[in-house]
Amino acid sequence: MSVRAMVWFPGNGQDANERGTYVFAHGGGDPHWIVPLLLRANDLGRTPVKGVAWPEKEYDESWKMGRAGYAASLFCSTEPKGLQVDTYPLLDEGRLYGDLDYLYVVRPVVGDDRRYTWHVEVRVPTRAYLDEPTPENTRVLARSQPVAKLARYYTRKASRRRKAVAA
């Protein structure tokens, strides 16, 4: 059975996307897969891009990471065949799919370098979620923290698990 997850980029009042953007992962939704993809998208968003009109110049477009739609697009670009932008929660008054295993909440934060980065919170359903599948009926599995820190944790955890299985 596949591990299903939603990644939610909540709106932050910077554009018309007040309720945010959701990305659905039908399979491979566990933190060992999703969090490294979030880190890859975060790094991609913080990488300066070459200008079109002046290719010798580089521009910082990390401000886009603060907008839910751009952030979701960055994330989907890391695994185009395994992720999809989903409108179901927007159309069904914030209700999520009833059989989700994980909900990731990704919030933009301005870092010490004055550029955006992401803080990620990992949530799992509670018993109340079965009756009312909303973000409020989930509990925190991993508190909100910088995506790089969370990725290091899950990478170490996966490595220890692989070593235990091999032994």
Side-chain angles (χ1 to χ4, degrees):
M1 185 169 198
S2 61
V3 177
R4 296 161 49 102
M6 298 247 5
V7 180
W8 180 27
F9 297 87
N12 60 5
Q14 290 189 356
D15 55 16
N17 192 357
E18 294 172 10
R19 291 201 258 169
T21 303
Y22 293 84
V23 175
F24 180 67
H26 187 272
D30 62 38
H32 302 98
W33 188 68
I34 294 290
V35 174
L37 291 178
L38 283 166
L39 178 62
R40 191 173 350 160
N42 182 75
D43 293 345
L44 179 64
R46 292 175 55 88
T47 302
V49 295
K50 295 206 178 284
V52 176
W54 294 281
E56 66 279 355
K57 288 190 175 187
E58 290 187 338
Y59 296 93
D60 174 24
E61 293 194 341
S62 65
W63 61 271
K64 290 180 178 180
M65 294 172 57
R67 298 202 171 170
Y70 282 122
S73 294
L74 274 170
F75 178 56
C76 287
S77 74
T78 63
E79 185 64 36
K81 292 185 178 182
L83 303 169
Q84 71 178 30
V85 173
D86 201 332
T87 58
Y88 178 75
L90 300 174
L91 299 174
D92 199 22
E93 300 176 4
R95 292 174 56 90
L96 304 173
Y97 296 108
D99 59 347
L100 287 183
D101 297 295
Y102 293 97
L103 172 66
Y104 300 88
V105 183
V106 182
R107 291 187 175 88
V109 176
V110 177
D112 294 337
D113 59 357
R114 296 182 177 201
R115 296 169 60 210
Y116 277 105
T117 188
W118 290 333
H119 280 201
V120 178
E121 180 178 272
V122 182
R123 302 183 69 84
V124 292
T126 62
R127 285 191 187 272
Y129 186 86
L130 296 173
D131 296 327
E132 184 74 24
T134 61
E136 293 78 24
N137 289 331
T138 60
R139 69 173 174 81
V140 175
L141 180 67
R143 64 179 172 76
S144 183
Q145 55 193 297
V147 65
K149 182 177 179 183
L150 196 60
R152 281 193 303 274
Y153 169 77
Y154 280 112
T155 300
R156 283 193 307 267
K157 188 173 179 179
S159 175
R160 286 193 301 265
R161 184 180 295 166
R162 281 192 297 274
K163 287 178 186 176
V165 169

